[in-house]
Amino acid sequence: MFSGAQVSLYPMSGNFVGIILDAVKALDPYRDRLRIETDDISTLLVGPPDILFAAMHDLFIAAAKTGEHCVLSAAVSRGCPGEPDDAICGINPSLGQAEPLAERITAALAAVDITAETGQPTAAQFSLYVMGTGTHMDEIYGCIDFLKRSGTFDRAKNFCTRLSGDAGAVFTTIREAFFRFGEPEGHVTLDITVSANTAPRVFSDAQRTL
């Protein structure tokens, strides 16, 4: 199954070039397990979902640990009918999708529970799109149930869900949403924005002036 992401990293710093170039080094351990292609707009990652999200997590943490406000934006897709199958995209058999919905929710919650903490507070918002199946709303409602019980759920927003917490748990929650919900061979996509080191007081003050 084809699985990949177009990822862009935006450090809000005068040293944004240096932060990006240093952060991209975090992808080096994954280069034998992912297809990685970088240009001036984004980095393409192609491979199994568990490796894909581990790489995005490490890329983001490498930038966030500088203390600068940084944002990672990604479009993630699996099972896209317009893409060729690639041997590197083989699904990790430890991550199953064939189980009933209730069992998948339980497995997703367990995965979040055992995630190691990074010490990096993070906020994120994402939208899940389950395509090409008559049961897509069952899958989406199942995902919402999982999110509300994940420990990272912040609130529902128009067209997306907001998460907050440690970066490790946030990325695991998004990974599980991507992998556990939707038909095993179906087309599923995510639109993700992840942020760290923001200044909440600045945004609160701005809201009061609107």
Side-chain angles (χ1 to χ4, degrees):
M1 176 190 294
F2 188 90
S3 175
Q6 291 282 0
V7 184
S8 298
L9 186 65
Y10 304 104
M12 311 303 175
S13 167
N15 184 35
F16 69 94
V17 174
I19 293 173
I20 291 173
L21 292 178
D22 285 342
V24 168
K25 295 175 185 176
L27 299 177
D28 289 347
Y30 299 98
R31 293 188 182 277
D32 61 342
R33 293 177 288 171
L34 296 173
R35 176 154 59 92
I36 301 176
E37 300 173 4
T38 298
D39 62 23
D40 58 335
I41 297 177
S42 63
T43 292
L44 170 69
L45 306 176
V46 175
D50 53 338
I51 307 300
L52 195 73
F53 276 88
M56 286 195 289
H57 167 276
D58 290 357
L59 175 68
F60 180 74
I61 290 295
K65 72 179 183 182
T66 65
E68 299 286 358
H69 177 200
C70 61
V71 172
L72 180 145
S73 177
V76 191
S77 176
R78 66 171 171 85
C80 181
E83 297 288 353
D85 287 336
D86 191 325
I88 202 170
C89 296
I91 296 296
N92 185 331
S94 68
L95 299 176
Q97 293 177 277
E99 298 89 350
L101 184 58
E103 293 182 16
R104 285 184 273 135
I105 293 172
T106 299
L109 291 169
V112 177
D113 284 344
I114 64 173
T115 301
E117 290 195 0
T118 65
Q120 176 62 60
T122 300
Q125 65 183 33
F126 78 99
S127 301
L128 172 72
Y129 302 98
V130 179
M131 304 181 189
T133 171
T135 62
H136 71 283
M137 288 308 300
D138 291 339
E139 296 294 319
I140 290 172
Y141 285 133
C143 183
I144 291 171
D145 183 21
F146 155 61
L147 293 174
K148 288 183 175 180
R149 298 161 57 190
S150 67
T152 62
F153 179 79
D154 188 315
R155 64 182 183 272
K157 299 176 64 177
N158 283 47
F159 317 118
C160 63
T161 297
R162 179 186 168 101
L163 308 176
S164 62
D166 185 83
V170 167
F171 272 90
T172 299
T173 301
I174 299 173
R175 182 198 72 195
E176 293 296 300
F178 176 69
F179 189 79
R180 299 284 180 185
F181 302 95
E183 295 296 324
E185 301 301 323
H187 184 195
V188 176
T189 66
L190 287 180
D191 179 35
I192 305 170
T193 303
V194 188
S195 177
N197 307 321
T198 58
R201 190 180 69 181
V202 172
F203 293 105
S204 298
D205 291 344
Q207 287 177 330
R208 283 194 291 270
T209 64
L210 292 178

